[in-house]
Amino acid sequence: LTFDLCLCTTTELRGGRMGSFVGTFESKHQDREYPRYPGLDEIDHSDFVALSRAREQAVRDRAIDQQETRILRERLIECVRREDVNYPQRCREHAKAYMKAYKKYRSGGWLGTH
């Protein structure tokens, strides 16, 4: 389900409490810390539990890379808007950091398959 930019009553989602939200989805796992599991190339693929945990870890790592790339892109855009004509000199570090994160994100492929 997607809840982007909608105004919804969240009786079911918040355990019976009435309320509304815009553009957010509250989850009981939102601030949960997950243990670090070995990657897909480091496990025995006949072990279903280890394979499931490795897949979940790969999905979490991919989501983290995506968010880091998004944050760095937003910082670069803010810098370009703030610096106006001087952005090539003053936003160079932001651009380098964004391109490094973008290449890392894109080189991973889906679940590290590419």
Side-chain angles (χ1 to χ4, degrees):
L1 296 173
T2 178
F3 293 97
D4 290 340
L5 300 176
C6 71
L7 183 59
C8 304
T9 304
T10 58
T11 305
E12 305 86 30
L13 298 175
R14 293 188 181 175
R17 292 183 288 147
M18 291 296 291
S20 63
F21 64 97
V22 176
T24 60
F25 179 72
E26 292 181 5
S27 171
K28 64 181 179 180
H29 303 293
Q30 184 175 359
D31 294 326
R32 182 176 173 191
E33 290 188 23
Y34 293 90
R36 183 85 185 156
Y37 293 112
L40 287 169
D41 54 345
E42 302 169 358
I43 61 164
D44 178 23
H45 288 273
S46 62
D47 184 6
F48 178 74
V49 174
L51 184 61
S52 176
R53 288 179 177 169
R55 285 181 184 156
E56 290 174 1
Q57 184 65 49
V59 169
R60 284 193 297 272
D61 289 344
R62 181 85 171 144
I64 289 169
D65 289 344
Q66 181 183 25
Q67 290 301 317
E68 287 177 352
T69 304
R70 178 183 289 171
I71 290 168
L72 290 171
R73 182 175 182 267
E74 290 172 358
R75 288 181 185 169
L76 176 61
I77 290 170
E78 288 174 17
C79 182
V80 168
R81 288 180 181 156
R82 182 180 60 244
E83 298 300 332
D84 200 21
V85 295
N86 295 325
Y87 78 89
Q89 294 85 20
R90 295 187 178 168
C91 300
R92 182 170 291 147
E93 295 304 316
H94 292 289
K96 286 180 182 179
Y98 169 67
M99 290 308 298
K100 182 179 178 182
Y102 181 75
K103 287 178 183 178
K104 177 184 172 191
Y105 172 70
R106 294 298 293 177
S107 69
W110 177 243
L111 298 181
T113 58
H114 294 117

